[in-house]
Amino acid sequence: ALDQNTGHGELPLGPLPEEGVSLQEIEKEVIRRALAICGGNRSKTAIFLEIPRHVLIYRITKYELDI
């Protein structure tokens, strides 16, 4: 669902595990899924994730997600 004030969608998050969760692993998975949704197009993925393209490229390299 979209927030009427920001236009952003809500994340479908369930309860977090008691043992904790790696924010880096969550970020990697979100980037992986966004790249798939955007057909691997980095510019579209950056827009989709609402981050600058250079930040996306940095994170793709950092997490070795290059496709």
Side-chain angles (χ1 to χ4, degrees):
L2 286 181
D3 181 306
Q4 295 301 320
N5 296 320
T6 66
H8 303 294
E10 293 179 22
L11 292 177
L13 295 177
L16 297 176
E18 288 186 25
E19 65 275 7
V21 62
S22 166
L23 188 55
Q24 286 186 344
E25 288 303 317
I26 292 171
E27 185 175 49
K28 283 167 56 173
E29 185 60 23
V30 168
I31 293 170
R32 223 182 262 121
R33 290 183 187 189
L35 281 164
I37 288 169
C38 297
N41 183 302
R42 294 175 179 187
S43 294
K44 289 181 182 179
T45 302
I47 292 167
F48 180 82
L49 294 173
E50 300 179 12
I51 60 174
R53 186 175 181 276
H54 74 275
V55 171
L56 174 65
I57 292 170
Y58 167 78
R59 291 179 182 166
I60 287 171
T61 303
K62 175 182 175 182
Y63 297 133
E64 299 177 348
L65 298 175
D66 213 5
I67 54 173

